[in-house]
Amino acid sequence: MLAAQVKQGTLPPVEKRLPESPYVVPHNWLEPGNYGGTLRMMLPATDNPQMKQYMYGHSPLRWLNDGLDIGPGLVESWESNPDASEWTLHFRKGLKWSDGRPWTTADVMFWWEDMVLNEDHPEVPPDEAKSGKGTLMQMSAPDDFTIVMKFDAPAPLTADRLAMRVKRGSGPSWMEPKHYLKQFHPRYNKSVAKNWASADGEFEKKRNWQLNPVNPTMTGWRLKSYKEGRQLTWERNPYYWCVDRQGNQLPYIDTLTVAAVQNPEVAKLQIQQGKLDYLIGSFMGVVLGDISGLKAAQSKSKVEPILWDTGDGTGAAVFFNYDYYEENLRKLIRNPKFRQALSHAFNRADAQKSIYFNTGQKTTGTMSVKAIEYHVSDEGRQVYQQWRDSYVKYDPEKAKALLDEIGVVDKDGDGKREAPDGSKLIVRLQYVSDVGSNYRKATDLLERDWKAIGLDARQFPIAPEAYSTEWNAGKLMSNSGWGVGDGPNCLVYPQWLVPLEPSRWAPLEGQYYNVRGTPEEGKEEDVDPFKRTPPRMAPEPGGPVERLWKLYDHSRTEADELARHRLVWEITKIHIKEGPFFQGSVSNAPEIVLVHQDLKNVPRRNNLAQGGFTAPWIHPTPAVYDPEVMFWSAPEQHKG
């Protein structure tokens, strides 16, 4: 595809397009590929961020071996001082953006100085930009290829956090093409509009490389055309900085065409009709229950369903709002025996059979089953098993006894249990209305089982646009439309273990932690927590959240890895004794991946170091497996 352009003189030869030391894709399942062809894919919408989960090209470092290892990316080598308070990153020399312009550390400093540190721009400092004390690092660029990060305390997880997520995608940007975007920034162009940094401002619209074909990228494919609501077309990036083991520039496939299919059932029909070549099933709502239909249509579709491990710790989960706005119900939710009763009332065997087709493990609900802390020693394995099994047993009589013990009994003889103060108790199962089918089925089972022990359990779907505001303000009682998958270690993204922000099980306390070290800290102390801006509340003195915070704060400055593992075990023991703070169903059920029979270099489960690890977005799948290495056995037969 590019050879003709080189011959015409419109494109430099490949040796001038690659960096001095290209990244060599290391996976052991790879074979040399053929160039050419088109790959047909699907998204729920053309602006859906899942598209970026296919491309790892902006990441400084990379997860390898399903998160067991960290390898180079744009950064060729890196080092830290003994206490991990200073990190130096050495970027590859000769990197180029997809428009052929040089990539330099000025593009990182543009992100840092002109976006993160700019009060008018919404980009916030990522985890890797903060020390163990929570204060911001000092970043500098001594030259075009070196970044130095200095912290006021140890920051031992910096490398993990540089690898996690896809940068300039679901994670922080970490870089932007300064030569292109500075024309839309007021520091460099005084005539830009005042709303430049708002969601509909020119700067923000131009910097999304999934929507704007002109915006340069460092990924294997660059956007060629964007037809809103219909299709994305991507073409190979002639300056992509990665090669195969033989030194051939990637990607092998010329073009990606990505159709927008909003309705999951329509998508499944099109898959069976042979209109798709490659898909991570959960991105389009394809679940284990769809396998029989997919296999029946395989002779026509030519698409094979394969299975990778999810590595999650819960499957479909439910968690109550620890900071619920009604005081009497908040007190009830914070009583561990209430949550333990509801866990014992749930018949997970039914969920395992009807939703997960007898795969995975029944679980109380944990962090990732693959988290290193739970495999590093016998003690770690024992702590994990205690957490997994703590309240997993289906025992409705025990559930009833626990509710009786805490005063959740039928006081008025209507057959339904009231709250301890005698008020009506409606256990609200709430979820975003567009959740996937597995979550809906699990919620149906929860409603059934909780009604069976005398609770008035009801479902309340919430409009997606209203959910976050309502949850963060403590107005919603529960969420039964999410799951917990984070790894490869528990501290790289610990928000389920410890409330650090407002989206999970203790939103107001998480927000209280979130404003520590900011100008908002200490303000509005005389204002009702639910009326503060943003809503936030201090944890109960000596309560579980305060103790979780203390252990976590210790872990952030602990340079010794084994000592950090022990701190995670202590955190876990609080979840065991005073949880469940989130309640799981079945962990590590497999993910469906759809692969055309002619598509090569797509790993099977037995090729992968841990069988796959698709659940956590911080371990971005399939980006970690470098889709740029996929190729057609006969490219001429797959022209789109």
Side-chain angles (χ1 to χ4, degrees):
M1 179 181 174
L2 301 180
Q5 297 177 41
V6 173
K7 192 173 182 179
Q8 294 165 4
T10 58
L11 190 71
V14 65
E15 60 270 17
K16 293 187 177 180
R17 301 197 306 266
L18 287 168
E20 290 180 12
S21 178
Y23 178 75
V24 181
V25 177
H27 313 300
N28 59 14
W29 64 79
L30 301 182
E31 58 179 303
N34 304 312
Y35 285 113
T38 295
L39 190 71
R40 299 170 301 166
M41 301 165 66
M42 283 182 187
L43 286 176
T46 47
D47 61 352
N48 190 294
Q50 291 171 344
M51 184 71 228
K52 295 175 181 176
Q53 291 292 97
Y54 288 94
M55 304 187 198
Y56 217 1
H58 294 107
S59 292
L61 302 178
R62 295 177 168 217
W63 293 118
L64 295 172
N65 299 320
D66 287 342
L68 295 175
D69 299 302
I70 297 170
L74 289 169
V75 170
E76 188 173 10
S77 64
W78 66 100
E79 67 266 355
S80 70
N81 62 355
D83 74 348
S85 63
E86 181 173 324
W87 291 74
T88 303
L89 311 178
H90 304 284
F91 288 84
R92 298 175 192 276
K93 295 181 179 179
L95 292 165
K96 293 180 176 64
W97 290 97
S98 58
D99 61 359
R101 296 286 294 272
W103 185 102
T104 73
T105 50
D107 298 306
V108 176
M109 297 307 295
F110 178 76
W111 162 74
W112 180 248
E113 294 176 344
D114 296 320
M115 293 168 59
V116 175
L117 300 183
N118 187 316
E119 293 183 358
D120 295 328
H121 195 275
E123 184 91 357
V124 297
D127 290 337
E128 60 266 30
K130 299 176 183 177
S131 75
K133 293 181 178 178
T135 49
L136 282 189
M137 68 176 175
Q138 292 181 332
M139 180 187 277
S140 61
D143 57 49
D144 284 350
F145 313 106
T146 309
I147 287 287
V148 178
M149 306 162 68
K150 293 183 178 180
F151 301 89
D152 66 356
L157 293 173
T158 297
D160 301 69
R161 288 171 171 163
L162 288 172
M164 78 177 191
R165 298 189 179 274
V166 284
K167 308 304 187 191
R168 244 186 140 208
S170 64
S173 294
W174 249 91
M175 66 201 69
E176 293 289 353
K178 181 178 181 179
H179 68 276
Y180 171 69
L181 281 177
K182 68 180 182 180
Q183 63 185 306
F184 309 111
H185 194 292
R187 179 178 174 183
Y188 306 93
N189 181 356
K190 303 301 181 185
S191 63
V192 302
K194 289 185 178 180
N195 73 334
W196 66 278
S198 65
D200 58 350
E202 197 71 5
F203 184 87
E204 286 302 284
K205 288 193 293 186
K206 295 292 187 184
R207 83 181 184 101
N208 190 336
W209 51 275
Q210 184 175 333
L211 309 182
N212 175 16
V214 182
N215 188 356
T217 181
M218 298 297 290
T219 52
W221 294 274
R222 61 186 182 186
L223 186 64
K224 182 179 181 180
S225 67
Y226 178 83
K227 297 176 182 177
E228 186 171 359
R230 293 171 55 203
Q231 182 174 288
L232 301 170
T233 303
W234 302 79
E235 63 182 0
R236 69 166 62 252
N237 172 5
Y239 297 93
Y240 190 49
W241 47 279
C242 301
V243 298
D244 66 13
R245 290 178 179 176
Q246 289 70 40
N248 300 305
Q249 188 186 34
L250 298 170
Y252 290 129
I253 290 174
D254 289 335
T255 307
L256 312 179
T257 58
V258 187
V261 186
Q262 187 173 5
N263 187 313
E265 298 309 312
V266 173
K268 292 169 191 176
L269 180 61
Q270 292 186 6
I271 292 166
Q272 292 175 3
Q273 292 171 341
K275 297 181 179 180
L276 176 100
D277 299 320
Y278 182 60
L279 178 70
I280 303 299
S282 59
F283 289 5
M284 289 300 301
V286 177
V287 295
L288 290 172
D290 299 313
I291 277 193
S292 59
L294 292 166
K295 287 191 172 180
Q298 196 169 333
S299 60
K300 180 178 181 180
S301 70
K302 312 297 184 189
V303 169
E304 176 189 2
I306 65 172
L307 300 177
W308 291 344
D309 280 11
T310 55
D312 73 325
T314 62
V318 61
F319 52 98
F320 283 91
N321 194 326
Y322 204 74
D323 301 328
Y324 192 53
Y325 78 111
E326 293 186 46
E327 186 175 359
N328 66 320
L329 297 180
R330 181 168 70 251
K331 183 178 179 181
L332 176 62
I333 289 168
R334 289 188 176 188
N335 188 327
K337 291 182 179 179
F338 175 70
R339 289 174 274 115
Q340 291 162 12
L342 269 57
S343 185
H344 283 303
F346 181 33
N347 189 343
R348 290 170 173 84
D350 283 356
Q352 188 174 38
K353 181 178 180 181
S354 64
I355 301 173
Y356 300 107
F357 293 81
N358 292 319
T359 62
Q361 291 183 334
K362 295 189 290 291
T363 181
T364 299
T366 69
M367 292 288 276
S368 170
V369 301
K370 297 180 187 290
I372 186 64
E373 293 89 347
Y374 304 130
H375 296 274
V376 73
S377 67
D378 288 341
E379 185 177 358
R381 283 185 282 273
Q382 184 178 21
V383 169
Y384 166 74
Q385 290 168 7
Q386 288 174 350
W387 192 8
R388 181 194 64 196
D389 299 338
S390 51
Y391 308 103
V392 75
K393 184 181 178 182
Y394 176 52
D395 191 343
E397 294 307 313
K398 183 173 185 178
K400 292 176 186 177
L402 284 167
L403 294 177
D404 291 345
E405 182 183 340
I406 62 176
V408 180
V409 296
D410 180 9
K411 292 182 169 66
D412 60 8
D414 67 351
K416 296 175 181 176
R417 295 175 183 265
E418 277 74 48
D421 63 358
S423 62
K424 289 289 183 184
L425 174 60
I426 300 174
V427 180
R428 297 171 178 268
L429 284 158
Q430 294 163 306
Y431 50 87
V432 177
S433 58
D434 59 359
V435 295
S437 60
N438 281 358
Y439 296 107
R440 290 180 179 274
K441 291 176 183 176
T443 302
D444 288 342
L445 295 176
L446 288 168
E447 181 183 20
R448 179 201 69 183
D449 290 347
W450 291 352
K451 283 180 174 178
I453 60 167
L455 292 169
D456 185 2
R458 307 181 197 175
Q459 296 187 38
F460 294 87
I462 306 297
E465 59 272 15
Y467 170 80
S468 292
T469 302
E470 293 285 290
W471 179 265
N472 295 0
K475 295 294 179 66
L476 303 180
M477 180 182 281
S478 74
N479 184 338
S480 62
W482 207 349
V484 179
D486 288 323
N489 64 66
C490 288
L491 293 175
V492 67
Y493 197 73
Q495 280 81 341
W496 286 108
L497 266 187
V498 186
L500 305 177
E501 45 74 53
S503 69
R504 290 167 173 80
W505 53 269
L508 276 80
E509 291 168 89
Q511 188 62 272
Y512 194 90
Y513 189 98
N514 204 26
V515 301
R516 294 196 328 185
T518 75
E520 300 302 313
E521 184 177 12
K523 291 184 178 178
E524 299 185 299
E525 291 293 329
D526 57 345
V527 178
D528 182 325
F530 296 92
K531 296 179 180 178
R532 294 171 182 166
T533 305
R536 58 194 185 277
M537 69 167 61
E540 296 173 311
V545 173
E546 184 179 77
R547 285 181 281 122
L548 289 169
W549 283 1
K550 286 181 179 178
L551 289 166
Y552 174 63
D553 286 344
H554 183 181
S555 76
R556 296 176 70 183
T557 58
E558 177 54 70
D560 181 76
E561 185 176 17
L562 182 56
R564 291 200 302 273
H565 293 339
R566 294 190 176 279
L567 288 165
V568 168
W569 300 339
E570 292 304 309
I571 289 172
T572 301
K573 290 172 184 176
I574 294 175
H575 280 256
I576 294 170
K577 184 178 180 180
E578 299 174 61
F581 297 109
F582 51 85
Q583 176 184 312
S585 53
V586 175
S587 65
N588 199 31
E591 165 95 52
I592 294 179
V593 182
L594 300 177
V595 184
H596 193 284
Q597 64 186 22
D598 296 339
L599 190 62
K600 306 302 180 183
N601 275 351
V602 180
R604 273 33 180 190
R605 196 185 213 158
N606 63 338
N607 297 129
L608 301 173
Q610 298 201 72
F613 200 178
T614 68
W617 275 47
I618 63 171
H619 179 262
T621 301
V624 289
Y625 307 137
D626 293 287
E628 295 82 5
V629 300
M630 298 189 306
F631 69 93
W632 290 114
S633 55
E636 66 280 359
Q637 296 176 15
H638 298 276
K639 293 295 186 181

